[in-house]
Amino acid sequence: MTSVISNFIRNQANDPDENRRANLLNIMLLGVTGINIIILALLLVTQFSVEANILPIGIGTLAIVGITYFINQKISGPIASALFLVLLTIIISVSDLPEEIIGGRSLFLFTIPILLASVLLKPHYAFVMTFFVGIVINVIAWRNGLEFQFLSPVSLFGVGLVAWLSAKSLDDALRELRLINLELDQRVENRTQALQTANIQLQEEIDVRIKIERELVVMRDQAVSANNFKSELLARVSHELRTPLGAILGYLEMLRAKIYGSLELQQEETINTIIELNQDLTRLVNELLEQARLDSAEVKLENEMFSPYQLTESIYNRLSILADNKGIKFNWVYDQNLPDQLCGDMQHLRQIFINLVGNALKFTEDGFVELKVVNVDDLNWGIVVADSGIGIPEKDIERIFEGFQQVDHTYTRSRGGFGLGLSIVKHLVSLMNGKISVESEFGKGSKFMVHLPKNLKEAVR
Amino acid sequence: MKKPFALIIEDHVHTATIFSAALKQVGYETKIVHDGLNAHDTIKLMSPDVVVLDLHLPHMSGEQLLDQIRADERLTKTKVILASADPLLAKELEQDADLVLVKPISFDQLSLLSRRLMPESE
């Protein structure tokens, strides 16, 4: 029912003000139709006992209402409104005695079309309507032989003024409201658009990140497999190199042992040189093999009891020959506070000793190399290797524990080695939960300090 | 006097030649075998005084051959020198061997050490 009524009322005008007015007119027409029907129904019930000519007036009104509605919906709202107002004025003008209508008790009825004109048409039509009503009043006066009316149209003009003012302010308020609404709509639209743009950018960014992440995973896998391949290749190559190197050394020693007959002095010297070179080469290959083994995490530490004194002594005995050959003073200091037995991996400790002392001897031309084994505290012991060798420039100290680093390549080339010795030491020390540090002055010497747990088993548990 | 006899089990031909020369130099008579199965058969037929045993061999491992020697009652006096490039494996078998050498093994080193294992020096 409500939807039927609202469908009846709705008008399709484009201008919102015109639309509002046309809708208002439709409501009026609906009201008039309702009142008409009620009156006609009452007439039927009371058997036309009042005035018989009301019936055709009622039916005529209905017909005019229908036509007005048609004009309002299909042709023009303002024309329909004007028609309705004229009709209303005519109805009012015959609704009472002429003298009452033009200046008596029913004069106020004319305020209705004036007020309606201001809202159904434009606000200033209140004045037009007032003027029209003034004419109507005087026409009625003239037709009925009454006096010319001036005061009543003027008083109605006051009503017209009020109607104009209120309708105008209503119009202005509505217009302002519409503007606000429009601005709000625009704002919502802008916000929505900005959000959409931000959303698209965000999605693009996410896509880019996902892509980068995928690429990173691929690159990481490639790097890992390349590293594994490198370690494996290195290990295999080193292993394959060691066998023929061993054989070459063996044949050279056989030659030197004169298994294949006697030798000239120069031949013997040459063989000795080749043997030395072969030993250098073997050492390099061993370094590579050890690094590859450390890289591929194959190293497993042993936990065994050993005598630190015997270990230090055997290292000293083994390396003092090298020091004698170079004419370097090599001495060792052993801290008597150290316990007789320590727990650790003797094989790898031996390697730490040999690499540190071997390095010191390698990089010292004259002066001294000193090996100290010290009792650090209840839990730790330490190895200190000091020399008066070439030292390390300050800028290079951070890098010396990385693989393949020799500080001054031109100077150290003659000393051989891949510079893996310290890298291996560092790796082993950290596997044993120890610490290594270095102090050095370029041109004056270096001092390497290693701290290791007295009980490896406890320390790496 | 009969020369002591050494069996050299080593797949690398040159390394085997050098081992042989080192042992001959100190007075051994030597025989070289290059693969595990051959070595297995040779051990059954002969009673070497010294066996130089490589651990990585084709067809049969040095570890198995070591077990075979230690299980053979004829060979209780046989000395075994393990020659391995793998220090970890060599360490594991240390108990059953008379001497463990980690490759590369020099001619001089082997000559010196095998002299100590000569039957006369006992």
Side-chain angles (χ1 to χ4, degrees):
Chain A
M1 181 70 185
T2 324
S3 66
V4 171
I5 294 171
S6 57
N7 271 337
F8 176 80
I9 291 166
R10 192 173 299 141
N11 186 284
Q12 302 301 325
N14 287 326
D15 180 66
D17 279 326
E18 214 164 282
N19 189 270
R20 171 172 57 84
R21 288 177 188 127
N23 288 347
L24 191 60
L25 177 64
N26 284 343
I27 291 168
M28 297 288 158
L29 292 174
L30 192 66
V32 171
T33 310
I35 292 166
N36 244 300
I37 288 169
I38 290 166
I39 291 170
L40 288 178
L42 281 172
L43 282 177
L44 282 171
V45 170
T46 53
Q47 305 287 320
F48 302 97
S49 60
V50 197
E51 284 184 60
N53 64 345
I54 275 193
L55 185 65
I57 290 174
I59 291 166
T61 307
L62 275 182
I64 291 169
V65 163
I67 291 163
T68 312
Y69 179 72
F70 175 79
I71 293 170
N72 190 25
Q73 293 298 85
K74 302 287 175 188
I75 299 166
S76 161
I79 291 174
S81 294
L83 189 66
F84 174 73
L85 291 169
V86 170
L87 177 72
L88 191 65
T89 311
I90 290 167
I91 290 171
I92 288 167
S93 64
V94 297
S95 64
D96 206 347
L97 298 171
E99 50 271 33
E100 296 297 340
I101 279 292
I102 62 171
R105 63 182 180 207
S106 294
L107 179 65
F108 79 94
L109 286 173
F110 283 116
T111 59
I112 296 168
I114 293 170
L115 286 170
L116 283 178
S118 70
V119 289
L120 284 178
L121 293 164
K122 289 182 177 162
H124 62 267
Y125 276 84
F127 299 118
V128 177
M129 200 61 206
T130 310
F131 185 69
F132 176 65
V133 168
I135 291 171
V136 169
I137 286 172
N138 281 299
V139 167
I140 294 168
W142 172 64
R143 286 285 301 270
N144 293 287
L146 298 169
E147 267 176 52
F148 173 72
Q149 292 292 317
F150 176 73
L151 210 61
S152 42
V154 168
S155 63
L156 285 175
F157 184 79
V159 176
L161 187 67
V162 171
W164 172 70
L165 279 174
S166 45
K168 194 172 181 323
S169 57
L170 178 71
D171 262 20
D172 289 348
L174 284 174
R175 191 173 306 118
E176 209 163 304
L177 203 62
R178 267 203 306 279
L179 280 176
I180 290 170
N181 247 341
L182 209 66
E183 203 187 309
L184 275 176
D185 280 355
Q186 192 62 44
R187 236 186 254 182
V188 168
E189 174 81 4
N190 287 348
R191 287 271 163 88
T192 311
Q193 204 137 21
L195 271 176
Q196 264 171 355
T197 313
N199 232 350
I200 288 167
Q201 279 175 347
L202 208 63
Q203 191 56 49
E204 278 170 3
E205 209 166 301
I206 289 170
D207 289 348
V208 168
R209 291 206 176 189
I210 287 172
K211 201 174 153 223
I212 290 172
E213 205 174 303
R214 280 198 200 120
E215 284 171 359
L216 278 176
V217 167
V218 170
M219 277 159 74
R220 186 202 60 196
D221 291 349
Q222 282 173 345
V224 167
S225 73
N227 196 41
N228 288 345
F229 178 73
K230 183 204 80 180
S231 301
E232 202 179 311
L233 186 74
L234 213 54
R236 189 166 295 177
V237 168
S238 307
H239 199 88
E240 295 302 318
L241 280 174
R242 272 177 2 146
T243 310
L245 276 174
I248 292 168
L249 180 67
Y251 281 123
L252 288 166
E253 286 173 333
M254 280 161 71
L255 282 173
R256 190 168 62 180
K258 302 187 175 82
I259 302 262
Y260 298 122
S262 61
L263 295 169
E264 301 279 325
L265 184 63
Q266 209 174 353
Q267 287 173 330
E268 206 171 328
E269 279 173 5
T270 308
I271 286 168
N272 279 336
T273 308
I274 301 174
I275 286 174
E276 273 173 35
L277 290 172
N278 179 285
Q279 281 165 342
D280 282 348
L281 197 54
T282 307
R283 189 163 41 75
L284 293 187
V285 171
N286 286 345
E287 265 189 18
L288 277 179
L289 187 62
E290 189 58 35
Q291 182 67 44
R293 210 178 272 154
L294 289 174
D295 280 351
S296 58
E298 261 183 38
V299 175
K300 261 193 193 158
L301 295 177
E302 301 280 325
N303 290 306
E304 56 198 342
M305 300 306 288
F306 67 93
S307 154
Y309 185 86
Q310 280 175 8
L311 177 64
T312 316
E313 189 182 35
S314 77
I315 298 291
Y316 178 78
N317 288 339
R318 188 168 158 190
L319 293 173
S320 57
I321 304 159
L322 274 178
D324 287 347
N325 286 345
K326 276 185 98 172
I328 302 165
K329 196 177 158 207
F330 178 37
N331 62 317
W332 64 300
V333 178
Y334 186 82
D335 187 342
Q336 295 302 327
N337 293 323
L338 274 162
D340 291 343
Q341 296 277 306
L342 297 173
C343 174
D345 185 321
M346 206 168 66
Q347 204 59 38
H348 285 115
L349 284 170
R350 186 181 287 276
Q351 196 170 4
I352 292 172
F353 270 103
I354 287 176
N355 284 10
L356 286 177
V357 178
N359 248 11
L361 291 169
K362 190 157 76 174
F363 291 110
T364 304
E365 286 308 316
D366 49 17
F368 70 91
V369 169
E370 186 180 63
L371 167 64
K372 267 196 220 171
V373 179
V374 295
N375 188 41
V376 177
D377 53 40
D378 285 350
L379 297 173
N380 298 289
W381 64 293
I383 305 166
V384 181
V385 177
D387 66 56
S388 60
I390 57 168
I392 307 153
E394 207 180 325
K395 65 179 171 60
D396 293 318
I397 280 192
E398 302 235 320
R399 294 190 300 135
I400 57 163
F401 293 114
E402 294 167 21
F404 301 103
Q405 293 289 343
Q406 276 195 354
V407 173
D408 180 351
H409 290 272
T410 48
Y411 188 62
T412 58
R413 190 155 294 148
S414 59
R415 288 166 170 79
F418 289 116
L420 288 173
L422 287 175
S423 151
I424 291 168
V425 168
K426 165 121 198 223
H427 201 125
L428 288 173
V429 168
S430 60
L431 275 180
M432 293 175 184
N433 255 4
K435 268 184 238 159
I436 184 165
S437 59
V438 58
E439 285 170 12
S440 183
E441 202 174 327
F442 189 51
K444 291 203 171 169
S446 311
K447 187 167 154 189
F448 286 86
M449 289 148 290
V450 174
H451 279 197
L452 292 165
K454 284 179 178 169
N455 190 336
L456 183 64
K457 209 172 182 176
E458 302 262 305
V460 297
R461 191 163 51 186
Chain B
M1 189 184 79
K2 194 175 175 287
K3 278 185 172 182
F5 174 60
L7 178 64
I8 293 155
I9 308 168
E10 164 66 61
D11 63 332
H12 190 254
V13 179
H14 295 294
T15 307
T17 308
I18 293 158
F19 286 175
S20 170
L23 289 159
K24 272 182 181 161
Q25 205 204 15
V26 294
Y28 283 91
E29 196 177 314
T30 62
K31 179 175 170 62
I32 297 173
V33 185
H34 291 303
D35 79 294
L37 277 180
N38 249 330
H40 173 77
D41 296 343
T42 311
I43 290 165
K44 275 186 182 169
L45 298 172
M46 298 176 147
S47 307
D49 297 294
V50 169
V51 176
V52 180
L53 180 59
D54 181 21
L55 288 176
H56 291 279
L57 290 167
H59 308 310
M60 197 169 173
S61 77
E63 215 175 328
Q64 284 170 297
L65 292 170
L66 182 61
D67 288 344
Q68 186 196 341
I69 295 166
R70 288 311 179 215
D72 194 329
E73 284 185 7
R74 286 183 305 118
L75 305 175
T76 45
K77 284 192 174 175
T78 301
K79 310 280 186 197
V80 178
I81 301 175
L82 281 187
S84 170
D86 185 342
L88 291 179
L89 185 57
K91 205 172 165 53
E92 274 176 34
L93 300 172
E94 210 172 30
Q95 306 253 318
D96 289 332
D98 294 280
L99 191 62
V100 175
L101 298 175
V102 177
K103 285 180 179 178
I105 297 160
S106 89
F107 170 85
D108 294 348
Q109 188 188 14
L110 189 60
S111 293
L112 194 74
L113 293 170
S114 54
R115 198 191 300 272
R116 290 190 199 159
L117 294 177
M118 290 282 271
E120 289 91 333
S121 69
E122 278 181 1

